[in-house]
Amino acid sequence: MTEKQLPVFWGCTISDRLPFLEKTTRLVLSALGYDPVTPEGTTCCPDPVYGRALEEGPWLTLAARNLALCRQYGEELMVPCNGCLATFQQAAGRLKDGNIRDKVNEQLKKVGIAYTSPPRIHHILSFLQKIGNEALKKQYTYKLGGIRVGVHYGCHILNATQWAIDTPDNPTVFENILSATGLEVVSYPDKHLCCGASAQPFDAQGSLGLLREKIKGARKASVDAFVLCCPLCFIQFDMESVKLERKNAIPVFYVTEILALALGIPSEELGFDWHATKPKALLSEKLTLDLNPEHLEKDLDLERLKACCGACTFECSAALASQDNDLSRFDPVALVNRVAAGDVASVLEDPDIWRCLKCHKCAQVCPFGDGLAHFFEVLQGMALRTGVRAEPIEQKLELIRTIGAGIPRNRAIRKEFGLPVTKAIDRDQLEKLLD
């Protein structure tokens, strides 16, 4: 799959306080076919609350400079922070005024930059909405379940009509994105109440008071976890709620962490240990992962499998090798029938899916002309992506990851036969390639 380059303005909070959210978002974007690139040389957006303490001119100049730099990387810009989105949309609106734009460009000229027009700015939610929930569902390896989640949009993307991503009174975009993963999204009292994050430095009690009301409403609705789309709100819900509820704090997720689970990205890669609210216990106790039939149908023609006649069973090399041993007999069509009946999860754990030799002998007698080699390749790929490991395959992969070869190099035997000893790939270079 060719990845489409996507400029992303991460903002200060994600970049320097919550880098695990950046990593997860990068993994999700890559899985969806995008190559996230970070425009270099940018500053704080600047912050729409404290940054506005700057005079109008300097505030607009910094925002315009960021937008101009990001525009050099492409026509679109994805912003995973509510505050950065508010700053950029507000600045872009002000810079439509020619007189204001000329004054800002006079300043930007000093550093060799000119602002003309902004890129198309997408919040993380509006970007996912643009992809479309139906398209996203086909990408998900798993259908999630077992957890009741409550969303928190955050003020900056709802209440300002100029750049709101949905209607303030009854927004649905966030709920729809999460529902497409299979999770139950529940409403709760004070769902649209501000979480108080911006007030934390100068009114800690008032800030915690707002958060307390949010938590109280969520408890009434039996919410298992909060899902957020703003990094500053994430800090408030994750770190500050521990002050209120200690070990009983409701676990908190950023939106791409949920999508990563649905996409089959291993949870070990998602940095859950960095959460103050420690969501691992909830995931292990309640989260269910059912293989997504829509994702399976992308790679396998289930109707074709249901019509499998079984002729290849009598020509299959692996089946012939075991036909006289009832204990180890290999029956490829039995696996086909199980998958066609929907029993995919247990088939992925069946070691028999690794017995196909890829000799393509089955294709010679198959009425469809393709045999079952592709069927077994798809199953093996799904098994690897979903964490089911065959020990011999795992051993081979570990060799490739560590030394770049499927078999350890044997310099002595090559010298004995007078063969040149080639230089192995540099370990650091290999690590960079596989990062």
Side-chain angles (χ1 to χ4, degrees):
M1 177 172 62
T2 302
E3 292 188 332
K4 179 182 177 182
Q5 183 170 294
L6 175 68
V8 181
F9 186 91
W10 299 102
C12 307
T13 305
I14 287 182
S15 295
D16 299 312
R17 290 195 66 181
L18 307 169
F20 55 94
L21 297 187
E22 177 179 338
K23 180 187 176 184
T24 298
T25 304
R26 285 178 177 274
L27 289 171
V28 166
L29 290 173
S30 181
L32 295 176
Y34 294 89
D35 175 21
V37 295
T38 304
E40 295 198 7
T42 57
T43 65
C44 176
C45 53
D47 183 286
V49 179
Y50 304 113
R52 287 315 308 262
L54 289 169
E55 292 182 13
E56 176 81 353
W59 182 83
L60 263 180
T61 299
L62 288 178
R65 179 181 175 278
N66 283 329
L67 288 171
L69 288 174
C70 292
R71 187 72 174 78
Q72 294 174 9
Y73 286 76
E75 295 182 357
E76 295 189 292
L77 178 67
M78 201 271 278
V79 182
C81 171
N82 292 15
C84 296
L85 178 87
T87 288
F88 287 159
Q89 295 286 30
Q90 187 175 359
R94 297 281 289 137
L95 290 164
K96 289 179 181 178
D97 185 311
N99 292 328
I100 293 175
R101 189 169 61 250
D102 288 344
K103 290 179 181 178
V104 167
N105 275 325
E106 280 297 315
Q107 291 297 107
L108 292 178
K109 189 188 299 183
K110 298 174 182 177
V111 292
I113 293 176
Y115 174 90
T116 53
S117 62
R120 291 193 297 276
I121 305 166
H122 302 283
H123 183 260
I124 180 69
L125 293 187
S126 57
F127 181 78
L128 293 168
Q129 185 181 38
K130 184 171 76 85
I131 295 175
N133 288 326
E134 290 306 310
L136 287 171
K137 283 171 69 174
K138 292 178 182 177
Q139 296 289 333
Y140 297 148
T141 302
Y142 293 117
K143 181 179 180 181
L144 307 181
I147 296 177
R148 293 164 57 87
V149 299
V151 303
H152 173 75
Y153 281 87
C155 312
H156 289 120
I157 62 171
L158 283 184
N159 295 334
T161 55
Q162 310 95 298
W163 60 79
I165 66 167
D166 208 336
T167 57
D169 296 333
N170 186 32
T172 58
V173 54
F174 203 173
E175 289 87 343
N176 292 340
I177 288 170
L178 292 179
S179 294
T181 69
L183 289 179
E184 181 183 2
V185 185
V186 296
S187 186
Y188 61 95
D190 293 319
K191 182 171 74 171
H192 302 312
L193 182 69
C194 174
C195 70
S198 295
Q200 181 61 230
F202 56 85
D203 183 11
Q205 291 306 311
S207 172
L208 287 176
L210 287 172
L211 180 61
R212 187 181 291 109
E213 290 302 308
K214 300 281 296 187
I215 294 171
K216 189 187 301 180
R219 292 284 186 203
K220 286 182 180 178
S222 300
V223 167
D224 293 316
F226 288 113
V227 186
L228 315 177
C229 58
C230 170
L232 188 60
C233 297
F234 183 95
I235 290 174
Q236 178 79 337
F237 276 83
D238 187 52
M239 298 180 185
E240 297 301 322
S241 65
V242 174
K243 295 178 181 178
L244 297 174
E245 304 223 317
R246 301 188 182 278
K247 292 183 179 180
N248 295 320
I250 297 175
V252 180
F253 297 94
Y254 185 72
V255 57
T256 51
E257 293 182 312
I258 297 297
L259 268 57
L261 293 172
L263 287 163
I265 297 171
S267 60
E268 310 88 70
E269 298 186 37
L270 304 183
F272 289 139
D273 286 337
W274 289 84
H275 290 220
T277 50
K278 305 303 177 193
K280 279 188 173 181
L282 173 69
L283 295 177
S284 62
E285 292 169 11
K286 288 195 172 185
L287 181 67
T288 59
L289 300 171
D290 295 320
L291 283 166
N292 178 14
E294 289 190 48
H295 183 72
L296 182 65
E297 288 171 10
K298 268 198 327 138
D299 299 317
L300 290 175
D301 183 345
L302 296 184
E303 293 305 312
R304 146 80 176 85
L305 292 179
K306 290 175 183 176
C308 187
C309 67
C312 57
T313 301
F314 304 101
E315 298 296 330
C316 171
S317 300
L320 288 171
S322 62
Q323 64 180 348
D324 296 327
N325 188 336
D326 288 338
L327 294 177
S328 64
R329 182 171 293 169
F330 177 55
D331 186 351
V333 177
L335 294 170
V336 169
N337 292 337
R338 286 167 63 189
V339 170
D343 183 23
V344 184
S346 68
V347 171
L348 294 183
E349 296 181 353
D350 193 324
D352 276 0
I353 68 171
W354 301 96
R355 293 175 67 178
C356 173
L357 301 170
K358 308 294 190 303
C359 67
H360 295 276
K361 194 175 180 183
C362 54
Q364 297 175 9
V365 295
C366 178
F368 294 96
D370 56 359
L372 295 176
H374 175 67
F375 168 76
F376 282 103
E377 285 179 3
V378 170
L379 290 181
Q380 291 165 6
M382 289 187 71
L384 291 171
R385 288 198 302 275
T386 56
V388 179
R389 296 287 193 238
E391 190 60 32
I393 298 294
E394 187 60 32
Q395 291 172 0
K396 185 74 73 173
L397 290 176
E398 187 59 26
L399 284 171
I400 294 172
R401 291 190 197 102
T402 53
I403 66 173
I407 297 175
R409 295 177 181 273
N410 192 326
R411 295 172 177 269
I413 198 169
R414 290 188 62 82
K415 286 182 178 179
E416 184 175 331
F417 283 92
L419 296 172
V421 178
T422 56
K423 186 177 180 181
I425 186 172
D426 179 78
R427 292 281 183 98
D428 290 339
Q429 188 178 11
L430 180 64
E431 187 176 333
K432 290 176 182 176
L433 288 172
L434 298 180
D435 181 20

